[in-house]
Amino acid sequence: MSQTDAELDALDRLRRLTRRLNLEVATWRLKLALKGGYDPSQPRIPSGEPGGGRWVGGSDGSTGSKPAGAERRVSMAARRISPAAEAECERLNKMDTIYCNAIKNPACHGQASERYAACLAGKPIPPLPF
């Protein structure tokens, strides 16, 4: 059963529309996530500690003081990039993740990880061709 040219054109238009709508949804999700009070410079409890990875001190009225044992283990001198550059890499990774989740392409997540690693290493960031 072969498809006519008109049917193939209609399918192609639907695929392009679906990709465009997925991108638009990803954009709105990103805008909502960024508007939701996300602050990449807010300190986190180091992994390996109780509650590791959680944000410390938020807009919920908490004091913002770090729990016992949550001191930073990496000195600023040992960092390869500045906190501002690291925050920008985190922002880029969050955008890429939202986009990849929207288009539901596993290869996209792999490319997003490569982009994140390149950003953290201070290397040129490869494109996200999805």
Side-chain angles (χ1 to χ4, degrees):
M1 180 181 197
S2 76
Q3 296 177 324
T4 66
D5 288 342
E7 290 173 326
L8 291 174
D9 287 342
L11 279 173
D12 187 48
R13 282 193 310 274
L14 285 173
R15 286 185 184 118
R16 282 183 280 143
L17 176 62
T18 301
R19 282 194 299 266
R20 191 174 58 203
L21 289 173
N22 283 339
L23 180 58
E24 195 170 321
V25 167
T27 301
W28 280 106
R29 285 181 179 164
L30 175 63
K31 286 179 182 179
L32 287 173
L34 293 175
K35 188 177 181 179
Y38 171 73
D39 180 5
S41 64
Q42 187 177 2
R44 298 178 83 170
I45 300 171
S47 61
E49 301 290 333
R54 291 188 182 176
W55 296 107
V56 177
S59 59
D60 60 355
S62 60
T63 64
S65 61
K66 295 179 184 176
E71 64 279 345
R72 296 268 309 165
R73 295 199 171 155
V74 179
S75 70
M76 293 303 289
R79 287 179 175 260
R80 286 195 258 174
I81 62 173
S82 69
E86 186 177 11
E88 180 60 24
C89 293
E90 291 288 335
R91 186 193 66 76
L92 175 69
N93 188 48
K94 186 172 183 89
M95 283 184 354
D96 287 351
T97 300
I98 291 171
Y99 175 74
C100 291
N101 286 341
I103 67 168
K104 296 178 173 61
N105 185 333
C108 183
H109 288 286
Q111 186 65 28
S113 294
E114 287 182 27
R115 286 167 51 90
Y116 181 57
C119 184
L120 289 175
K123 296 180 180 176
I125 300 171
L128 189 62
F130 297 96

